[in-house]
Amino acid sequence: GDVYKRQPVSGEITAVNEALEDAPETVNEDPYNEGWIIKIKLADDADLGSLLSAEAYTDVVASED
């Protein structure tokens, strides 16, 4: 769907977790294991530098409350 067009890094999508169609709650319940959404073969490893760490993301979310 459209969500795959808004990925935060450039590259080729190599896999989509189709199990989420029947159990989308897995993204919230087990995001680091069974809740993965897509797998991407990066076009440029430098894109990783623009991503937030889990700790930084937590800080951003907390500041929005």
Side-chain angles (χ1 to χ4, degrees):
D2 194 42
V3 69
Y4 305 124
K5 294 178 184 174
R6 297 187 305 253
Q7 61 197 32
V9 294
S10 59
E12 175 187 352
I13 295 174
T14 60
V16 174
N17 189 353
E18 295 179 8
L20 297 179
E21 290 182 28
D22 294 327
E25 66 278 3
T26 307
V27 171
N28 292 327
E29 294 170 356
D30 193 18
Y32 295 107
N33 294 299
E34 297 300 316
W36 62 274
I37 299 171
I38 59 175
K39 294 183 181 182
I40 301 171
K41 180 179 179 183
L42 294 175
D44 186 348
D45 289 351
D47 285 352
L48 296 177
S50 66
L51 299 179
L52 296 175
S53 67
E55 182 178 294
Y57 185 76
T58 300
D59 291 344
V60 168
V61 172
S63 73
E64 292 178 354
D65 289 339

